[in-house]
Amino acid sequence: MSDDTAARVAAGIGAWVERLLPDRERAGLLAAALRREFGDSTERISAEVCRRIEKVCHSYSRHLTLKFHADGSLVPDREEPMGWPPPDGAAIARARGGVVSVERHQGVAVLRVDSLEAWESAGPFLEDAFAAAEAVGGVAAGAGAVEGRGGSRTDGGGGLVLDLRRNGGGDMETLSRIAGFVLGPEAVTLATVTTMERVDEYRTAPAGRGGGRRVVVLTSERTYSSGEALAYVLQNRGVTVVGRRTAGAADHCTPARVSPHVVALIPYGVVRDPVTGGNWEGTGVVPDIEVPEGAEMAAAMGACADGARPGA
């Protein structure tokens, strides 16, 4: 049986964070907190111990989560973290590119997107969904239901509600494309991501549509990671956010096998929005209109009726 202990796992996480996270102060504080809490611990690693380690990590990086493998068969990474597997195009297609539905509520198009899948596979579904949402806003009410690749819709009305309440994040290119659909055809710089090696800039891709219409984004505690990023960049560019504060996980992360039993998501990239100079790490995205659970859709409809800030 492996001698995998809390101290070993905590040390492995701390070493990877100090190696990868460009925010040197935060990396040092996280590693020091792990040494302080678990440095002398001989407690054998378990799922419950992993949750306790996560709790310490979340004071410094909300994205840093652990997955426990009971069989202890992992070979710890040494030179490079294991990284993310390539996107599964077939699985993305089965999930309709993260698009759950396009519907009409009180004459407003409501587009629910639960994940930001790789654009290469998800793009056609999202393009269809936004085209359907535009049709909802541009055809006379009562025109009838239309079935599309992104789900059922009913034409009529105006305005758009982008429902991100269950969005768990994903691909940054897809985020940029969706932001382009909302903000319009002119390219807009959304964010930079700084790693130890470089700085990457993310901009909207010209969408040829969108912009100028009433837009509301819905969020909740389950809006996470790049789902939060999408809400954050749209809010900072004039789009109304309704709902509840998001989870607060802003760092870009990569999986690494830190022990025979544990894979950890290690933060390696720091996001900066040029509008705010910061991000939503630890704080979450704070809605413009905060409402209790169950009241979000009514509040979004009210915001559209009152003239929510247009995306552009």
Side-chain angles (χ1 to χ4, degrees):
M1 181 179 291
S2 170
D3 61 350
D4 218 354
T5 63
R8 179 178 182 177
V9 170
I13 294 169
W16 277 110
V17 169
E18 290 192 301
R19 177 176 170 182
L20 295 181
L21 185 61
D23 185 339
R24 308 311 297 153
E25 179 180 7
R26 186 154 52 101
L29 290 172
L30 195 159
L34 289 173
R35 287 192 297 270
R36 186 167 57 250
E37 294 294 328
F38 300 102
D40 298 325
S41 175
T42 59
E43 187 173 9
R44 196 167 299 280
I45 197 67
S46 65
E48 188 276 330
V49 173
C50 284
R51 301 293 81 76
R52 285 160 42 201
I53 294 173
E54 281 182 348
K55 186 175 180 180
V56 172
C57 293
H58 286 175
S59 295
Y60 304 94
S61 178
R62 293 283 180 89
H63 229 144
L64 208 165
T65 54
L66 310 184
K67 183 176 181 180
F68 177 70
H69 293 258
D71 61 10
S73 62
L74 301 176
V75 177
D77 295 320
R78 301 298 182 193
E79 298 301 320
E80 298 292 336
M82 63 184 286
W84 297 103
D88 184 338
I92 293 171
R94 287 194 297 272
R96 298 186 302 181
V99 176
V100 175
S101 59
V102 185
E103 299 176 341
R104 177 186 172 216
H105 287 273
Q106 301 176 24
V108 173
V110 179
L111 169 56
R112 176 178 162 186
V113 181
D114 281 6
S115 59
L116 304 178
E117 304 295 343
W119 178 255
E120 181 178 344
S121 299
F125 297 96
L126 286 160
E127 287 174 341
D128 281 0
F130 273 93
E134 286 185 345
V136 170
V139 179
V146 179
E147 189 69 26
R149 186 160 31 182
S152 64
R153 60 182 174 85
T154 305
D155 290 331
L160 171 67
V161 172
L162 180 58
D163 187 351
L164 303 179
R165 287 176 293 175
R166 299 168 186 82
N167 193 293
D171 186 73
M172 284 294 291
E173 180 182 0
T174 301
L175 180 157
S176 299
R177 296 278 187 160
I178 293 176
F181 287 140
V182 174
L183 298 175
E186 184 177 347
V188 177
T189 300
L190 300 173
T192 60
V193 177
T194 301
T195 68
M196 295 293 280
E197 291 80 26
R198 63 182 188 272
V199 178
D200 293 321
E201 183 179 86
Y202 292 91
R203 310 180 76 199
T204 60
R209 61 166 64 93
R213 71 187 303 182
R214 299 189 307 278
V215 179
V216 170
V217 171
L218 286 179
T219 61
S220 77
E221 302 87 346
R222 288 173 288 180
T223 310
Y224 187 68
S225 188
S226 296
E228 298 179 82
L230 180 54
Y232 188 82
V233 300
L234 291 178
Q235 182 183 52
N236 292 329
R237 287 152 188 85
V239 175
T240 301
V241 175
V242 174
R244 295 183 308 288
R245 188 187 298 250
T246 65
D251 293 327
H252 282 213
C253 291
T254 187
R257 292 167 289 219
V258 298
S259 84
H261 286 92
V262 178
V263 174
L265 285 186
I266 304 297
Y268 73 90
V270 177
V271 181
R272 290 285 181 268
D273 184 322
V275 172
T276 67
N279 59 44
W280 63 98
E281 176 64 42
T283 64
V285 179
V286 181
D288 300 293
I289 304 172
E290 293 196 65
V291 296
E293 186 172 7
E296 305 98 330
M297 193 60 70
M301 295 301 106
C304 278
D306 292 340
R309 293 175 290 177

